[in-house]
Amino acid sequence: MSDITDFDSLRRAMAENGDEPEGPARNARAEQLLAEAEKLNIPLAVIEALGHQLKVYNYSSEKDKMFVPFARLLRLWDERPEDFDEYETHTLHWVFKWMSSGMLDQPHIPLASIEKWLGEMEHRYRLAGHSERAVRSAEFSVAAHVGDVARAERAYGAWLAADRDSMADCHACELHGQGWWQAERGRDAEGLQLWGPVLEGEFTCAHEPHTVLASSLTPLLRLGRVDEARANHLRGFRLVRAMESMRGAYADHVEFCALTGNEARGLELLAERPAYFTDDGHPRSKLEFMSVVALLMDRLTGLGLGEQQVPGPAGRTWTARELAVHARADALALAARFDQRNGTGHISERARARMEQRPLVERLPLGVRTPARPTAVALPAPAAASVPEVADAQPDLAALLAAARRLSDTLQPNAIEAWAAVSRAAEGVELAARDRAEIADHQAMDLGPEGIALFEEAAGLYAEAGDPGEALAARARGAYVRALAGEVPQALTAIAGLYDRILALYAEDGTEVRQTAAVLMSRARILMRRVHEAEDAVQGAVLADAEMAAREVLALVDGRAGDDVRLTSRAAEAQAMLAELAALTGDVAGAAELFARASEAFVGAGLPWFAVEYEARLAGLAHHLGDTAEAERALRAALEHGGPHLEATGRAQLNLQLAEVLGGRGLSEEAAEHALEAAHWADEAGESRTLGAWARQQLGGFLLRQGRWAEAAEVLESALPDLSAETHGDGAVVQTQWWLGDCLSELGEHRAAAERRLQAAEIARHWPEQHDHATLAHLAAESLGHAGLHAEADQAYARAGTLWRSLGNVHGLVRSLRARAWLALRVEDAQGTAGEVVAGSDDTATASELMASAVSECMAALDAADDDEARQRLTADLGHTHRQFSDLLARSATEDAEDESIRAALEEALSQVTQAAAVFASLGDDALHSRTGAELAAGWLEADLSRPARAAARARAVLTAYDGSDEGDEAAQERRAEAQQMLEVVEEQDTE
C-alpha cells in the first residue's frame, strides 16, 4: 500500500527524497512520486512532482532525463497557467536556464535547436517581465562552448550590464562563470579575483564553492600560488567527493594531482568513482573526466610505469598504458561529436590541450597520506662534485683519483661515491700500493661491518706503500666497525694494541698527527660505544675512560689543525663526545655548551652537514632547559646545515620537531608548513605509517588552530588509520579523533562529528583521569543534538553529567542538565539553533525539573565554595541558569495552550528572569550586559502580561545603566536600542 495518501504526505516524501544522496536511487524515487502524484488528481501536485523529478535529474549523472519532465511542465503551463502557484511559476522560468545549458551538454541535440530554445527563453522571459541577464548569460555559454570568442565577449558584456533580478543565477554561480571565462582567456589573476568572494565564503549555494575551488586549481598553479592550490584541493575535494553530479569538478582535482607530482593520489581518486568511466548521461563531464584520465595515464607512462595496474572501466584489468590509449580515444570521440554538432573544432582543440599538459610542479606535498610516489626512475640525487671526463683511460683514472682524494681530504659527503668511481675505472689497471690501499679503505667504509676484512687489506697495502701510521689508522677503523656490529670487547682488545703502537710511532716521528688522531678517535668512539652498553654498576669508570679518551684527542690536535679539515673535525667530534658524556651525567647546561662548540667548529671548517646531529641534540637539551628560542634556532640551523645532504628521515624528524616548537609558541601557520614538510619527507622515507602519521596528526592540529576546518579534516582523516595505541599511544588517537570531531562540527557534519567524539570518549573511558572522558561525552552529546538525534543526545548528556558529578565539576554538570532540559522541550538553547516547540505537558514538566536541578546544583555549590574566584564563576552560572530557565518556560507557552496556562508559564518565566537579573547585579560591572539582557527579557514578559508600566520601568533602568557608555561598545548600543524599542511598543500598548 502506498504511503502517499494526500498532498501533504507527497510533499513530505519529496522533501525527504531531496535530502537523499545524489544518484539513480533518488531519481527512481522521484519517478515513483510522480506516479503517486498523478493518482491524487490535484494539478499542482503533478506540477510539484515534475519539478522535483527535474531537480534530482539535474543534480545527478542522468541529466539527459530532465528534458522530458520539463517539456511536460511547459505544456501544462501553456494549457493552464492558473494551476501553477507563485513558487512553481518562478521555478518553471528558473529551470529554462538548466535546459539551455543541459542541451549544450548533449551532443545529439542540434545547435539550431539550442539557438531556437535560446530565442524561446528570451521571449518567455520578456513576457514574464524578467531582465535579460539570465538570457545573455545563457547566450554567453553557447558562444563560449562553440568557440565563438567575439560573440562570447559581446554576450559576456551584455550579461554583466543587465539588471540582476529573480531569474539571475545566484552570485556564487555567476562569479564562477565570469571567473572561468577570464581564466579561459588566459587572465588567471583576474579570474581568481572574481572568484575571491566565493572562495572566502561570502557567496555560497548547493554547488559553490565546490566548482570554484575545483576551477581555481590550475590557474593557481600557473601563477605559482601553490599553497593556495593545495588548500583549495583539500577543501574542494572534500565537498565534491560524495556528489555524483560533479564529475567535471572531480576531474579538475584529478588533473591537479597529475600536474603536481601526486600521481598516486590521482589513482586513488579514480578508484573512488568507477562509475565515472562509463556514465553516459552527461557527455560533456565524461569528456572532461576522460581527458584528465588520459593526462594522468600519460604521466605515469612517462615515468616508466606504463605496465602498472590502474583503476579503469569495470569488466577488465587495465595498465596505465592501456588506459591512456582508451581514455584518449574516448575523449576525442566525444569531442568529435560535439564539434560535429557545433560545426567547429573548438572542443577537440581544448581536449587535446588538456591531455597534453606538462606538470606545473615537480612535487607538491599535500599533507594527506598517499602511497609512495610511483616512479620507475631514480629521483634526482644531491649534486656531486664534477668528475673530469677525458678521452683516454689512464688520464681519466688519474683525474678520478685526484678528485676522490680532494673530496675525502675535505670530508665531502660524496667522497665514497667518488672512490667507487675510481674502483670501477681501475679494473684491469696496475696501480701503486697507495692507490689500491685508499680504494680498499673507502670500499670498507662503504660496506660497514661487512668491510672489516677490507680494512685489513687496506692496512697491508698502506704498510707496503711505506705508511705504517695510516696502516694502524685503517686497522683502528676496522676495530670501530666491530664495535658498531656489537663486538665491543673484541674492538677494545684490538684498539688497545693499536693505540700503544701509534703513540710509540708518533713519539719516534714515524707518523704524523693526522694518522695518530685517527687512531685516538677510533679508540674514543669505541669507548663511547661501551658507555652506551655499560650497566649502571660500572658506569662511572666507563664514563671516565671515555672522557679521558676524548680529551686525549683534543690535547693531540690542539694548535696543530691549521687548515687541515680532518684534524678540525676530530677536535669538533671530541667536543661532541664530551657533550654527550655531560648529558649522561646530568649536566644539561654543560652539554648544551659543548654541543654548541662542536657545531660551531664544524661550520667554521666548512663542514656544516656534520653539525646537523649536534644542533639537533642541542635543540633537545634547550627544550629541556625551557629555552624554546634556542631550541628553535638549533633546529633551523640543523635544517640549513644539512641542506641537500640530509636523509629523508632526518629531514622529516627535524621539520616535525621544529613544527612542535613553533606550535608551542603559537605560530600555527609556520608550524603547519614544517609539519607538512615532515609528512612529505616521512612518506619519501617509507615511514608514512609511523613518523608520517605523527606529522599528519600535528599538521591537522595546526590547520585546525587556523580555522582551516576542511583542510584539517582531510589531513586528520588521512592520519587516523595509521595511528595506533601501540605505536603512537592512545593519547594521540584520542586527540586526533577529538580534533576531527571539532572540524566536522564546524563544517556542519554533526552526525560524523558525534561518531568521532564518541569513539574518542570510549578510549578515554579507560583512563585513570576522567576529565577528557567527560568533555568528549559532552561534546558528543552536542553533536548528536545538532544532528537531530535527541534521544541519543540526552543519553550522552546524562553520561557526561554523571562524569562531571564524579569529578566535582559543577559547571560541566550544570551545562549538561540545561542541555537536557532544552532537549526535552525539543528546542536548542542559545548556543545552538532554535527549533520548534513540539513537547507535550509531560515533556515540559521534565524540562522544568531538569532546569530546576541545574539551579539547585549551582546553589549547593555556592554554599560550599570557599574562595572568591570559585564563587564568582558559580554565581555567573546561577544567573545564566535562571535566565535559560526563563527562556525555556516562555517557549513552552505554546499558542494552542489555554490562556490561563500561558499566563502561568509567563509568570514563572518572569520570576526566573527576575532572579537572573538580581544574581547578575551581585556581580557588579563585570556582568552588566548579562544583567541588562535579563532586564530587557523581563520587560518583554511584563509587556506580554499586559503590564506596560512595569515594562517601561525596566527599559528605563537599562537606559540609565548605559548613561555615558562608549559609543564603540556594540553590546551597550544594542541594549539601548532594544530598550528604546520596548518603550515605543509599551507606549502604544498603553494607549490602546
Side-chain angles (χ1 to χ4, degrees), residues 85-160:
D85 62 14
E86 182 179 355
Y87 178 79
E88 292 303 327
T89 299
H90 171 87
T91 301
L92 176 71
H93 287 81
W94 179 268
V95 296
F96 261 93
K97 300 178 295 182
W98 294 0
M99 294 304 106
S100 59
S101 63
M103 288 178 178
L104 279 178
D105 298 338
Q106 303 293 332
H108 69 278
I109 298 179
L111 188 62
S113 298
I114 297 172
E115 294 285 6
K116 180 181 178 182
W117 182 259
L118 191 61
E120 178 76 8
M121 177 182 175
E122 183 171 11
H123 172 68
R124 288 182 180 265
Y125 271 40
R126 188 180 298 115
L127 287 178
H130 295 307
S131 162
E132 66 171 12
R133 189 177 182 95
V135 177
R136 299 285 77 83
S137 173
E139 182 188 4
F140 161 77
S141 296
V142 173
H145 173 70
V146 301
D148 187 342
V149 175
R151 183 187 180 192
E153 291 284 18
R154 289 195 302 273
Y156 182 88
W159 168 22
L160 269 62

Side-chain angles (χ1 to χ4, degrees), residues 11-348:
R11 283 173 164 165
R12 284 195 298 272
M14 289 191 294
E16 290 169 2
N17 193 45
D19 290 336
E20 291 298 311
E22 296 176 353
R26 187 170 74 158
N27 295 351
R29 177 60 173 159
E31 293 162 6
Q32 293 171 0
L33 291 174
L34 175 59
E36 295 293 339
E38 289 169 336
K39 297 176 185 176
L40 296 177
N41 199 28
I42 301 173
L44 185 58
V46 174
I47 290 167
E48 290 189 11
L50 283 167
H52 174 67
Q53 188 182 80
L54 197 156
K55 182 177 181 180
V56 299
Y57 284 156
N58 185 59
Y59 293 115
S60 78
S61 61
E62 298 179 309
K63 291 177 186 284
D64 55 333
K65 290 185 176 182
M66 66 183 178
F67 301 108
V68 172
F70 183 74
R72 184 176 173 188
L73 271 173
L74 198 58
R75 186 174 67 253
L76 291 173
W77 168 262
D78 288 338
E79 293 172 354
R80 291 181 55 86
E82 64 273 16
D83 288 342
F84 288 70
D85 62 14
E86 182 179 355
Y87 178 79
E88 292 303 327
T89 299
H90 171 87
T91 301
L92 176 71
H93 287 81
W94 179 268
V95 296
F96 261 93
K97 300 178 295 182
W98 294 0
M99 294 304 106
S100 59
S101 63
M103 288 178 178
L104 279 178
D105 298 338
Q106 303 293 332
H108 69 278
I109 298 179
L111 188 62
S113 298
I114 297 172
E115 294 285 6
K116 180 181 178 182
W117 182 259
L118 191 61
E120 178 76 8
M121 177 182 175
E122 183 171 11
H123 172 68
R124 288 182 180 265
Y125 271 40
R126 188 180 298 115
L127 287 178
H130 295 307
S131 162
E132 66 171 12
R133 189 177 182 95
V135 177
R136 299 285 77 83
S137 173
E139 182 188 4
F140 161 77
S141 296
V142 173
H145 173 70
V146 301
D148 187 342
V149 175
R151 183 187 180 192
E153 291 284 18
R154 289 195 302 273
Y156 182 88
W159 168 22
L160 269 62
D163 292 335
R164 278 189 59 83
D165 67 350
S166 61
M167 283 298 111
D169 281 342
C170 74
H171 282 289
C173 288
E174 283 206 330
L175 288 172
H176 175 245
Q178 293 161 18
W180 172 84
W181 181 241
Q182 297 302 322
E184 182 74 6
R185 300 299 298 149
R187 300 185 285 263
D188 290 332
E190 290 86 343
L192 286 160
Q193 186 174 5
L194 282 165
W195 288 330
V198 184
L199 293 172
E200 292 162 11
E202 183 179 348
F203 300 122
T204 61
C205 70
H207 278 184
E208 295 297 352
H210 313 44
T211 55
V212 164
L213 285 164
S215 296
S216 73
L217 297 173
T218 301
L220 284 168
L221 291 174
R222 287 196 293 253
L223 292 172
R225 293 159 61 174
V226 295
D227 290 339
E228 293 172 70
R230 177 197 300 112
N232 287 4
H233 169 63
L234 293 178
R235 286 175 59 200
F237 183 67
R238 184 174 190 83
L239 293 173
V240 304
R241 175 186 276 137
M243 299 183 72
E244 185 204 38
S245 64
M246 302 203 72
R247 178 163 55 181
Y250 202 98
D252 290 337
H253 287 280
V254 176
E255 177 183 49
F256 168 82
C257 294
L259 297 178
T260 58
N262 286 287
E263 299 86 2
R265 180 166 171 82
L267 292 176
E268 288 186 337
L269 268 56
L270 296 185
E272 284 190 32
R273 280 291 185 180
Y276 277 174
F277 288 100
T278 53
D279 283 345
D280 293 320
H282 191 244
R284 182 146 70 162
S285 70
K286 185 179 182 184
L287 163 59
E288 293 166 351
F289 183 76
M290 297 308 285
S291 295
V292 299
V293 170
L295 170 68
L296 179 60
M297 295 306 119
D298 282 346
R299 175 68 177 149
L300 288 169
T301 302
L303 288 170
L305 290 158
E307 303 312 309
Q308 177 174 321
Q309 188 171 327
V310 295
R316 55 161 290 186
T317 58
W318 295 88
T319 66
R321 193 185 313 279
E322 291 168 340
L323 186 56
V325 173
H326 170 80
R328 179 176 291 273
D330 205 358
L332 291 176
L334 283 165
R337 288 176 59 199
F338 279 105
D339 284 340
Q340 183 178 11
R341 187 270 304 274
N342 299 338
T344 69
H346 179 64
I347 300 300
S348 294

Side-chain angles (χ1 to χ4, degrees), residues 517-562:
V519 176
L520 267 57
M521 179 53 72
S522 291
R523 177 172 178 267
R525 288 171 177 170
I526 293 168
L527 289 168
M528 287 298 294
R529 293 296 301 175
R530 187 173 68 162
V531 166
H532 292 298
E533 295 185 3
E535 298 179 359
D536 292 342
V538 295
Q539 188 75 41
V542 170
L543 286 168
D545 288 346
E547 181 180 351
M548 187 178 297
R551 293 194 182 280
E552 193 171 6
V553 173
L554 284 170
L556 175 68
V557 174
D558 187 32
R560 297 180 177 86

